[in-house]
Amino acid sequence: MDLATLIGIVLSFGLVAAAIVTGGSPLIFVNIPSVLIVVGGTIGATMVNYPLSHILGVMGVIKKTFFAGMESPAEIIEKFMDYANRARREGILSLEPLIKEIDDHFLKKGLQLTVDGLEPQTIQEILETEISYLEDRHSIGAEICSTLGAFAPAMGMIGTVIGLVQMLQTMSDPSTIGPAMAVALLTTFYGAVLANLVFNPMAGKLKTRSKEEVLLKEMVMHGILSISKGENPRIIEEKLNSFLPPRDRRQEG
């Protein structure tokens, strides 16, 4: 679980809820018509904007805002130092038994291509294509979250207009003014909360996660290419360390 995401959600919603409770009954902020307008309208407009397959697929991408399942750069460098030393001592084919134990599809594919004897340039082209399509998939997920964040306040404004029209139509009956005004104000509130506490922060986190994952994939690709070229393990370590800030670089032991 990503602690920053969890703490951020608890903190933001907790403070909003605390402000509501201290100001009176929280039930006055519950309005079913407002929920239907904002939630239903936002989801519906987004479904019009994107193919259904993209909408359904985004759920898997959104999980990355809560779960950080990526290896650390230090672990990747450690792996490649082991692969490089093994390949240097016993030959490139000695890596083949290790491929079955690897869970990372990208690393597994790259090492398999290397063991199969493909030219480094061909391996690079294949892996760069993989990275490119990975970025495309992630960008779609972040884009959908941003779209949800844009539609939610817009639907809130639509609800506000609906509530104001209802209120103006029934000004002669004071008992109807309160419910109509509640719809007018609460839809704006719901839209603002969803956009600024949920959808837009998720879009930002997905963009950050995508950059981090692409960086790790590029590290893996350069490590694989270096092994396929038969480079010295020390040179490989220096190449992979160059992806990291100085304080995080693996020190020679």
Side-chain angles (χ1 to χ4, degrees):
M1 174 67 74
D2 181 67
L3 285 179
T5 301
L6 181 62
I7 293 172
I9 289 176
V10 171
L11 183 63
S12 58
F13 277 97
L15 290 176
V16 170
I20 290 173
V21 171
T22 56
S25 173
L27 294 178
I28 63 175
F29 284 86
V30 178
N31 187 274
I32 300 302
S34 296
V35 173
L36 294 177
I37 291 171
V38 175
V39 176
T42 300
I43 294 174
T46 304
M47 292 180 70
V48 172
N49 203 62
Y50 293 97
L52 183 60
S53 59
H54 289 179
I55 300 293
L56 297 177
V58 77
M59 297 308 298
V61 178
I62 287 177
K63 287 193 300 185
K64 293 181 179 294
T65 63
F66 294 95
F67 300 98
M70 296 180 291
E71 284 186 295
S72 69
E75 291 174 334
I76 291 175
I77 295 175
E78 192 73 37
K79 278 186 178 181
F80 273 99
M81 292 304 297
D82 178 55
Y83 297 155
N85 284 312
R86 184 186 294 264
R88 191 173 182 84
R89 291 193 312 266
E90 306 172 23
I92 197 71
L93 292 178
S94 65
L95 299 178
E96 189 164 19
L98 301 179
I99 295 176
K100 298 178 182 179
E101 303 173 2
I102 297 174
D103 295 325
D104 184 351
H105 170 76
F106 186 81
L107 174 58
K108 189 172 187 176
K109 182 173 185 176
L111 285 180
Q112 187 63 61
L113 294 173
T114 302
V115 170
D116 290 343
L118 272 70
E119 292 293 326
Q121 183 177 354
T122 303
I123 297 174
Q124 183 174 356
E125 290 174 355
I126 294 172
L127 296 184
E128 283 180 344
T129 301
E130 289 259 358
I131 293 174
S132 176
Y133 279 101
L134 173 73
E135 288 183 285
D136 289 342
R137 291 193 299 272
H138 287 183
S139 66
I140 289 173
E143 185 181 317
I144 290 176
C145 284
S146 295
T147 301
L148 289 165
F151 283 147
M155 295 309 302
M157 289 303 299
I158 291 174
T160 297
V161 172
I162 292 172
L164 290 175
V165 170
Q166 292 174 340
M167 183 182 70
L168 293 173
Q169 288 289 330
T170 58
M171 288 290 287
S172 59
D173 184 2
S175 65
T176 62
I177 294 177
M181 182 59 78
V183 172
L185 297 178
L186 287 177
T187 48
T188 299
F189 172 72
Y190 291 157
V193 167
L194 286 176
N196 296 292
L197 298 187
V198 180
F199 297 134
N200 289 335
M202 278 188 175
K205 179 58 71 72
L206 287 175
K207 291 175 183 177
T208 301
R209 282 275 185 267
S210 178
K211 291 178 181 178
E212 292 174 348
E213 189 164 352
V214 167
L215 175 66
L216 295 181
K217 299 298 184 190
E218 289 178 348
M219 283 184 65
V220 170
M221 181 180 71
H222 279 77
I224 289 169
L225 293 175
S226 295
I227 290 176
S228 69
K229 295 173 184 176
E231 293 181 353
N232 187 287
R234 179 58 182 160
I235 295 176
I236 295 175
E237 182 180 24
E238 288 298 328
K239 281 187 175 182
L240 298 183
N241 269 329
S242 66
F243 282 86
L244 307 177
R247 67 177 183 276
D248 296 332
R249 292 178 181 176
R250 181 180 185 272
Q251 300 298 319
E252 184 178 11

